[in-house]
Amino acid sequence: AQSVTQLDSQVPVFEEAPVELRCNYSSSVSVYLFWYVQYPNQGLQLLLKYLSGSTLVKGINGFEAEFNKSQTSFHLRKPSVHISDTAEYFCAVTYYNQGGKLIFGQGTELSVKP
Amino acid sequence: GAVVSQHPSRVICKSGTSVKIECRSLDFQATTMFWYRQFPKKSLMLMATSNEGSKATYEQGVEKDKFLINHASLTLSTLTVTSAHPEDSSFYICSANSGRRSYNEQFFGPGTRLTVL
């Protein structure tokens, strides 16, 4: 079965430190990958997406992610985090024949401390 | 960017009553809408996929008679929780897809917090 695994349920980090949130997906061809952010009691906002082309994808708020096909990973990174980045982050995948259905990872709670 | 709204944002109801949640795409036509359920500190669980003018496709384990979905137009989908019980309390989120391709971005609504007493 297709699946997405976010290896860390919680990531505490100090302000201005770098962070990496890990995401692995089950192998398949024609995969499309997404990272979403969710602030408390709100819906999801798209941070970035990989559809094709360059494996390094840049998104909003200074985030970037790298698609690694051989390792079936799509880790999210930010070189310097802010207090305002504290939120829940979800990795998601869809496949070319899934009609747009997203499969979500379990989520990673990023907690940025001063 | 595309905007999806949900109404109401928060609802409290008595056990046994029915609750309707609306999901609207405000500035684009949504060929497909999705309904998710999210438990506290948990990921999103896809409940069903709805296409305008056709019956919704429910995920395994989701009771279609309990969670009625109607996609009446290209900008509106509704989720009705029938005969709600406390275990139906949850955060319900809808999303809308503007195209038929898998890589078309889904735009998410702000969510509806349902509390059943």
Side-chain angles (χ1 to χ4, degrees), chain B residues 25-70:
Chain B
S25 56
L26 298 185
D27 50 3
F28 68 100
Q29 293 185 328
T31 53
T32 306
M33 286 184 168
F34 303 87
W35 286 95
Y36 298 86
R37 183 173 178 175
Q38 185 178 33
F39 293 98
K41 301 291 186 181
K42 297 290 184 183
S43 187
L44 281 74
M45 181 192 78
L46 179 65
M47 299 174 67
T49 303
S50 74
N51 293 294
E52 186 265 340
S54 61
K55 288 184 178 181
T57 302
Y58 290 82
E59 295 299 304
Q60 192 172 8
V62 177
E63 300 176 61
K64 60 179 68 175
D65 293 331
K66 180 165 188 61
F67 298 100
L68 301 178
I69 292 172
N70 183 9

Side-chain angles (χ1 to χ4, degrees), chain B residues 40-108:
Chain B
K41 301 291 186 181
K42 297 290 184 183
S43 187
L44 281 74
M45 181 192 78
L46 179 65
M47 299 174 67
T49 303
S50 74
N51 293 294
E52 186 265 340
S54 61
K55 288 184 178 181
T57 302
Y58 290 82
E59 295 299 304
Q60 192 172 8
V62 177
E63 300 176 61
K64 60 179 68 175
D65 293 331
K66 180 165 188 61
F67 298 100
L68 301 178
I69 292 172
N70 183 9
H71 196 151
S73 74
L74 284 172
T75 59
L76 173 65
S77 176
T78 60
L79 167 67
T80 301
V81 183
T82 62
S83 186
H85 290 284
E87 58 265 30
D88 298 324
S89 299
S90 193
F91 194 52
Y92 293 88
I93 303 175
C94 74
S95 70
N97 187 323
S98 63
R100 295 195 179 276
R101 300 197 183 276
S102 290
Y103 53 76
N104 289 124
E105 181 178 346
Q106 285 188 35
F107 299 96
F108 286 80

Side-chain angles (χ1 to χ4, degrees), chain A residues 74-93:
Chain A
F74 190 55
H75 300 335
L76 180 71
R77 297 191 294 259
K78 185 169 182 177
S80 176
V81 294
H82 301 290
I83 298 287
S84 59
D85 291 323
T86 295
E88 190 82 21
Y89 291 80
F90 292 98
C91 180
V93 63

